[in-house]
Amino acid sequence: MAERSTLQRRMHRTAFACVGIAVGMVGLAYASVPLYDLFCKVTGFGGTPIVRDANGSQVTDRMIAVRFDSNVAPGLAWRFAPEQPEVKVRLGETTTVTYKVTNTGDKPSTGIATYNVQPDLAGTYFSKLECFCFTEQTLQPGETLESAVVFYVDPRLAEDRDVKDLTSLTLSYTYFPSKGGKPVAEVTSSTKPIAQ
């Protein structure tokens, strides 16, 4: 009888452990996207620029070219471009670049911009002080909006053996249609069923 009671307790513990593990795995699955996003923003992993409140860097004589790439996803009738395609900056120097976005469609539309830096390893050293990314914008037909990005390239880039010889990097933005502050998939205009 005592053996059966011990066996039942072990089975209950095993069942509770399995349920706990399953609940923990589901919780981690839901938390993985925001945790990965936070990790990228803090470390610059995957070309994600680091967002800073202020530039505490010393400006050096070392120059680097920063190229600006602008894209608009299908489903959003916008024209989007930087005021200049490239700037040469000193490491540590705070720089402002303005972008223009225009709604070329015939109805109001809403978009949101995402970004990254290439090469990926340079994302750790590209620091944004101000940006229009991840801010939902609604433009009326024909309306043009000017937005600025304020950034600096951290002088520590010159000390990293993987990127110290880098002479240029690219900041790439893409505007996506958005709803509720999140990018949405391309909207298909046809609702007809596909003939089989």
Side-chain angles (χ1 to χ4, degrees):
M1 184 75 168
E3 240 180 75
R4 186 174 182 173
S5 176
T6 303
L7 181 62
Q8 282 182 337
R9 271 188 267 144
R10 286 183 182 169
M11 288 174 59
H12 282 111
R13 272 192 244 143
T14 302
F16 285 130
C18 288
V19 168
I21 290 171
V23 168
M25 290 173 69
V26 169
L28 282 174
Y30 278 105
S32 64
V33 171
L35 289 174
Y36 180 74
D37 186 49
L38 177 64
F39 171 77
C40 289
K41 286 179 181 175
V42 169
T43 65
F45 182 76
T48 303
I50 296 174
V51 178
R52 305 253 188 232
D53 293 331
N55 181 357
S57 301
Q58 292 286 344
V59 178
T60 69
D61 289 334
R62 165 85 185 275
M63 300 291 286
I64 191 164
V66 180
R67 296 185 185 120
F68 304 100
D69 178 42
S70 56
N71 306 284
V72 178
L76 192 60
W78 287 12
R79 185 175 55 244
F80 174 50
E83 69 177 5
Q84 53 201 71
E86 179 179 307
V87 295
K88 292 192 189 241
V89 299
R90 287 180 167 74
L91 296 183
E93 176 183 19
T94 300
T95 306
T96 301
V97 173
T98 304
Y99 283 79
K100 282 187 180 179
V101 60
T102 302
N103 180 353
T104 59
D106 58 0
K107 60 184 177 182
S109 56
T110 303
I112 195 166
T114 63
Y115 62 87
N116 73 346
V117 172
Q118 293 298 318
D120 285 349
L121 293 174
T124 304
Y125 303 103
F126 190 91
S127 299
K128 293 186 312 160
L129 301 173
E130 185 179 316
C131 181
F132 54 89
C133 48
F134 300 114
T135 302
E136 201 170 53
Q137 306 284 345
T138 300
L139 297 177
Q140 300 302 315
E143 182 180 6
T144 296
L145 176 70
E146 286 191 4
S147 300
V149 59
V150 181
F151 68 92
Y152 67 95
V153 180
D154 195 313
R156 292 178 301 149
L157 176 136
E159 301 165 10
D160 185 329
R161 66 183 173 92
D162 293 325
V163 292
K164 69 180 181 180
D165 296 325
L166 194 65
T167 59
S168 68
L169 55 89
T170 301
L171 175 62
S172 181
Y173 281 100
T174 302
Y175 258 108
F176 291 92
S178 71
K179 185 174 187 179
K182 303 238 186 256
V184 294
E186 179 182 347
V187 179
T188 56
S189 57
S190 173
T191 57
K192 294 190 311 186
I194 299 172
Q196 295 182 1

